[in-house]
Amino acid sequence: MSSTPHPEAPLDRPGALIAALPAVLGFVPEKSIVLVTVVDDEMGAVMRADLSEPRETCVPHLAELAAAAGAEAVIAVIVDAEGASCPMCKDLYREWASDLAVEAARWGIELLAAHVCDVVAAGGRWSCADGCGATGAVEDPSASPVAAAAVLDGRRLYARRDELLDVVAVTDPAHSAVLAQMIEAAGPLEGARAGACARSDIEHALECAEQLAGGDPVRDEQASRLALSLTDPRVRDTLYALAVGDRAGMAEALWAELSRRLPTPWRVEALVLLAFSAYARGDGPLAGISLDAALRCQPLHRMAGMLDQALQSGLRPEQIRELARTGYRLAAQLGVRLPPRQTFGRRAG
């Protein structure tokens, strides 16, 4: 789910609204039910679920998420290449729309419209899900003002959701198992470490980020040390500050690399650092898939749960960035000099 408002998206033009969805979600939705929230007459948080999910559980959950995001109204878009041209599917779409209207109303939310489209691409066709008879063409997603804004922010748009998931997927399980042996042999860290140890680990993380940005891969022994150092709360909490520093891109690339290389449970902290960095710069899709992966590994992870709740409730990135102040305070206590804070608007990494 993305939680970034997009005032450029025209809510009263279905073809343009549907064309904006890839830029909001980060990928082109297929076989999906997408719920667009409306707050103060603008496009707010956007939620997506697979059409294969049971309607009786999917619809109430989407309505609850919309309520958590402060929605005043919602617009539904069903994307189904096969079903959009199937006359027998029309009754099913009407049932989706009817159930959504009922569940949304339970939260005081109005369902403004429900559309069905075959593909989210230029020339795709949309029609009314409730049988009103309205129909039209989907506009070009690449020409959407929302897509232009995403590109200016440096966000990458993916052709399929699987491509976005690959950003955090473990690439080589066998090698991750080797790293697990290295980490276990080197750890765990002692409970009460001197501040100099934490300071050294933070500086090591900064060096690894610079190294990776320079084209040199992170070596296994470095990855092992990073995995262990992130289990020290002082190190981990200080490194959250990198998400708002002028080297945020380097740091985010390092967290993504560790997310793909480290074994469970050590990859969890890298995933949450990646999620925080993505959220801080307004990339809700990457933050969401990173948090999903982290919570699958460790369902009770405190920071992951907090960020996930914030994302689902539509908390703005600038509010999340304030959490990085703690990292700067810890760095000062440890005697670590972090990169200065950046002006936001560009993509990290």
Side-chain angles (χ1 to χ4, degrees):
M1 175 188 121
S2 171
S3 302
T4 306
H6 294 278
E8 302 94 339
L11 301 175
D12 58 349
R13 290 168 46 206
L17 178 67
I18 294 169
L21 295 181
V24 180
L25 294 171
F27 58 90
V28 180
E30 300 174 333
K31 286 284 186 180
S32 301
I33 169 74
V34 181
L35 200 64
V36 178
T37 66
V38 180
V39 182
D40 296 331
D41 295 323
E42 292 183 354
M43 183 179 187
V46 177
M47 305 92 176
R48 188 209 70 92
D50 292 332
L51 274 180
S52 58
E53 292 187 26
R55 191 171 75 250
E56 59 271 18
T57 56
C58 178
V59 169
H61 183 57
L62 287 173
E64 183 178 1
L65 290 178
E72 300 160 0
V74 291
I75 299 171
V77 178
I78 297 172
V79 185
D80 187 358
E82 297 176 0
S85 58
C86 169
M88 296 181 62
C89 295
K90 291 183 178 180
D91 289 340
L92 177 61
Y93 297 144
R94 274 194 287 267
E95 290 173 4
W96 274 94
S98 176
D99 288 358
L100 275 169
V102 171
E103 290 298 330
R106 294 183 192 277
W107 297 94
I109 300 170
E110 179 185 3
L111 177 66
L112 294 178
H115 311 299
V116 179
C117 75
D118 49 5
V119 291
V120 182
R125 300 295 300 178
W126 66 267
S127 61
C128 234
D130 60 7
C132 72
T135 185
V138 177
E139 296 183 14
D140 184 357
S142 65
S144 166
V146 181
V151 171
L152 287 174
D153 283 342
R155 278 181 47 195
R156 178 181 173 185
L157 304 184
Y158 297 84
R160 303 175 64 88
R161 185 167 182 263
D162 286 348
E163 293 181 10
L164 179 59
L165 293 174
D166 285 343
V167 174
V168 300
V170 175
T171 53
D172 188 345
H175 189 69
S176 293
V178 173
L179 278 175
Q181 294 176 347
M182 292 179 63
I183 297 167
E184 289 170 351
L189 298 181
E190 296 179 3
R193 296 202 306 157
C197 295
R199 181 169 60 251
S200 176
D201 283 340
I202 294 167
E203 291 170 345
H204 175 253
L206 291 169
E207 291 167 1
C208 287
E210 292 269 7
Q211 175 182 316
L212 186 63
D216 294 328
V218 175
R219 300 185 300 275
D220 284 352
E221 59 271 21
Q222 292 176 307
S224 176
R225 179 180 175 181
L226 286 165
L228 282 174
S229 68
L230 292 179
T231 65
D232 183 333
R234 294 171 301 174
V235 175
R236 178 195 63 218
D237 293 349
T238 299
L239 291 174
Y240 280 117
L242 298 182
V244 300
D246 64 7
R247 298 182 187 176
M250 295 181 183
E252 185 171 313
L254 178 62
W255 310 143
E257 175 71 9
L258 293 177
S259 296
R260 293 188 292 267
R261 285 180 59 184
L262 292 180
T264 302
W266 296 281
R267 69 188 294 255
V268 172
E269 299 302 344
L271 284 163
V272 181
L273 281 161
L274 175 60
F276 182 79
S277 181
Y279 197 160
R281 62 178 172 79
D283 192 340
L286 180 55
I289 62 106
S290 302
L291 291 170
D292 285 345
L295 290 169
R296 282 198 301 271
C297 294
Q298 194 173 327
L300 299 180
H301 191 284
R302 185 176 178 181
M303 185 64 162
M306 185 196 73
L307 289 175
D308 187 58
Q309 181 61 37
L311 190 64
Q312 293 192 36
S313 62
L315 197 68
R316 291 176 177 271
E318 55 266 30
Q319 295 171 286
I320 287 297
R321 291 174 206 148
E322 290 304 305
L323 296 175
R325 291 183 181 272
T326 299
Y328 278 98
R329 286 196 296 269
L330 287 171
Q333 293 170 9
L334 292 168
V336 178
R337 185 175 180 179
L338 295 180
R341 293 182 69 121
Q342 67 168 316
T343 300
F344 272 80
R346 293 184 61 83
R347 177 184 183 273

